[in-house]
Amino acid sequence: MSSRRDFLKISALASTSLMLPRFLQGCHFSQEQANGRKLVVIQLSGGNDGLNTIVPYGDDIYYQQRSGIGISPNNVIQLNDYQGFNPALEALRDLYDNGEMSLLNSVGYPNPNRSHFRAMDIWHTGSNANEYWENGWLGRYLDHQCKGVEASPHGVIEIDDTLSLSVKGNKTKGLAVRDPKKLFKATQDPYLQHLNQQYQSSHQAQDSELHYLYKTMAETMQSAEYVYEKSKIYQSKSEYPANEMGRRLKLVAELICSGVDTTVFYVSLSGFDTHVRQRSVQERLLKQYAEAVAAFTDDLRENDKFDDTMILTFSEFGRRVKQNASGGTDHGKANNLFLMGGKLQRPGIFNKAPDLSKLDDGDLQWEIDFRQVYATLLDDWLGVEDELILQRKFKKLRLV
């Protein structure tokens, strides 16, 4: 049972995404505190250009700084007399018009960092710019919820092969899965079943590394079966775009509508590092995002799940105001952020547009700390103690 051979084999399995995605133990989350509510986090990886997403078409400085990539006022989907949607976001127009979207301008944090990896770490963990934390805000949410509750890995599900730092806690980590059936079949391997039987009958010391790996394997197998069985309950007939974003959000909708005991879903769309030929690249990605979200929200609405679901969309930083010589933009600082749901207190444009005449070394200045958004969602939406999870107090916003 405790041989080096078994230890190496289980360790290898635990780090192989085909067999066991890179997550460890999670928790069984009670829906009582969240009142059945769901949070869907969408990460636009690479640093989405906020100024060409929510376009300040009423500001001449925007066109002076972006003579080659600025979006003409005639093409902007105008939301007021100053800002409007990139035309690629046409699919989200109904959500905005129906009061189901809040747009937050100038979101960031003190002493912002332009490195992809460092900036994403800060967003994932909720740390200050000069702090380096090894656990994420949603991972700590799971840690907090798991006290005295039977453990299982699906309290938070990331639709991917591996986990981002955001969902890794100190004691608890979420579940990474892209295909419930494939994951379940992988855990039915005879060798894994044999090892699981050994674990169930073992008397390994609770603090041994081998015990921990066996326990991880057993919990993974149980959650894989649970999520797979739930995934068969509801098969969406909604028309999603035939791309990865569409497939991922379709899976989230199917799991939510099936009644899965999961509170947070995490989805990523990459490719937003637009240093070159930004217009075509960004608009293609924004169109994928918008059409997938529109299909997703329609699916939830048809199944009476939309009012209990909140969608947060963010990127690790914005882009610089002035375009570069390659028809793109370089790494910036503050950015806009989207919230979508049926129970928003402040739909529409939440705060004033960024002032392009008052920049921070060529970048937009931040006005809303992104952790204020986290605190609001944790406390007002999920019903948990935000200060305990974020490890400091942030002023909440009247959003939900």
Side-chain angles (χ1 to χ4, degrees):
M1 163 80 180
S2 59
S3 69
R4 175 177 173 80
R5 175 177 174 271
D6 279 351
F7 180 84
L8 292 174
K9 285 189 175 182
I10 301 172
S11 298
L13 287 171
S15 63
T16 302
S17 61
L18 176 62
M19 301 301 293
L20 295 178
R22 281 186 284 178
F23 57 83
L24 298 176
Q25 67 185 49
C27 77
H28 172 79
F29 175 71
S30 170
Q31 287 287 336
E32 292 180 3
Q33 283 178 290
N35 296 317
R37 291 173 171 176
K38 310 293 186 183
L39 174 64
V40 179
V41 180
I42 301 177
Q43 171 183 311
L44 305 182
S45 302
N48 178 47
D49 178 26
L51 283 180
N52 270 25
T53 301
I54 305 301
V55 183
Y57 74 94
D59 195 326
D60 291 339
I61 298 176
Y62 167 75
Y63 293 103
Q64 293 167 8
Q65 297 294 314
R66 298 186 168 206
S67 59
I69 66 169
I71 300 174
S72 166
N74 294 329
N75 294 327
V76 172
I77 301 171
Q78 298 181 10
L79 304 177
N80 57 25
D81 59 2
Y82 187 85
Q83 288 185 290
F85 278 146
N86 184 305
L89 297 177
E90 172 65 37
L92 299 183
R93 180 61 186 265
D94 285 347
L95 281 167
Y96 184 88
D97 289 346
N98 293 337
E100 298 166 337
M101 177 184 289
S102 289
L103 305 177
L104 281 67
N105 289 304
S106 307
V107 181
Y109 54 91
N111 304 309
N113 194 296
R114 292 197 186 103
S115 161
H116 287 295
F117 302 106
R118 182 64 193 130
M120 192 59 80
D121 279 355
I122 292 168
W123 276 83
H124 280 178
T125 63
S127 72
N128 288 331
N130 62 348
E131 297 174 325
Y132 293 81
W133 293 356
E134 296 181 354
N135 50 74
W137 71 290
L138 294 172
R140 294 194 301 276
Y141 164 73
L142 278 176
D143 282 341
H144 177 63
Q145 295 310 114
C146 285
K147 294 181 179 178
V149 183
E150 181 184 355
S152 60
H154 55 266
V156 170
I157 291 180
E158 182 159 3
I159 310 300
D160 210 331
D161 292 322
T162 58
L163 290 181
S164 64
L165 177 58
S166 182
V167 300
K168 296 179 180 180
N170 284 317
K171 300 177 181 179
T172 314
K173 294 177 175 62
L175 174 68
V177 55
R178 289 177 65 178
D179 184 334
K181 183 177 182 179
K182 184 176 180 180
L183 176 62
F184 172 69
K185 284 187 174 181
T187 62
Q188 299 308 296
D189 179 90
Y191 179 68
L192 288 180
Q193 294 289 333
H194 172 67
L195 292 179
N196 187 42
Q197 291 174 3
Q198 285 187 311
Y199 165 69
Q200 299 297 338
S201 61
S202 75
H203 300 283
Q204 280 283 324
Q206 292 284 319
D207 58 352
S208 72
E209 289 182 316
L210 186 58
H211 173 85
Y212 179 73
L213 288 171
Y214 272 104
K215 183 173 181 288
T216 296
M217 177 188 64
E219 291 171 346
T220 299
M221 296 172 75
Q222 292 170 2
S223 273
E225 182 176 8
Y226 170 79
V227 173
Y228 173 55
E229 292 301 322
K230 283 291 187 179
S231 73
K232 296 188 289 185
I233 294 175
Y234 173 71
Q235 302 296 311
S236 175
K237 294 180 173 58
S238 296
E239 186 175 348
Y240 284 79
N243 52 47
E244 189 61 30
M245 189 66 177
R247 287 187 287 273
R248 293 186 182 200
L249 285 182
K250 181 180 180 182
L251 175 57
V252 174
E254 290 176 338
L255 292 175
I256 289 176
C257 294
S258 75
V260 71
D261 184 19
T262 300
T263 305
V264 180
F265 296 87
Y266 204 94
V267 180
S268 298
L269 177 63
S270 62
F272 286 91
D273 194 16
T274 51
H275 292 279
V276 180
R277 296 188 298 276
Q278 175 175 296
R279 284 285 299 270
S280 60
V281 174
Q282 187 197 28
E283 291 181 8
R284 172 178 54 82
L285 292 171
L286 289 179
K287 183 178 175 64
Q288 290 180 19
Y289 159 78
E291 291 180 349
V293 169
F296 175 64
T297 55
D298 286 346
D299 206 348
L300 294 181
R301 191 178 287 105
E302 290 173 4
N303 288 276
D304 296 322
K305 298 293 185 181
F306 183 59
D307 282 353
D308 292 326
T309 304
M310 188 65 58
I311 305 165
L312 164 68
T313 299
F314 80 97
S315 195
E316 69 264 34
F317 48 61
R319 317 293 292 190
R320 294 180 70 78
V321 174
K322 186 176 179 61
Q323 71 176 70
N324 61 28
S326 301
T329 51
D330 299 322
H331 299 178
K333 296 177 182 177
N335 206 353
N336 42 48
L337 177 151
F338 297 177
L339 280 177
M340 287 166 274
K343 292 185 177 179
L344 294 170
Q345 287 195 29
R346 294 273 301 277
I349 298 178
F350 181 80
N351 58 319
K352 65 180 181 180
D355 188 342
L356 302 189
S357 69
K358 297 179 181 179
L359 302 180
D360 175 15
D361 189 26
D363 292 313
L364 302 180
Q365 297 192 49
W366 72 275
E367 293 185 2
I368 296 175
D369 193 308
F370 73 95
R371 292 164 294 188
Q372 292 180 258
V373 180
Y374 288 178
T376 303
L377 292 173
L378 289 167
D379 188 87
D380 295 342
W381 186 252
L382 296 181
V384 296
E385 188 177 345
D386 58 283
E387 189 172 357
L388 179 64
I389 294 166
L390 297 177
Q391 303 183 18
R392 64 202 68 184
K393 190 67 176 177
F394 292 96
K395 183 179 179 180
K396 290 189 283 292
L397 308 169
R398 292 182 59 83
L399 289 167
V400 297

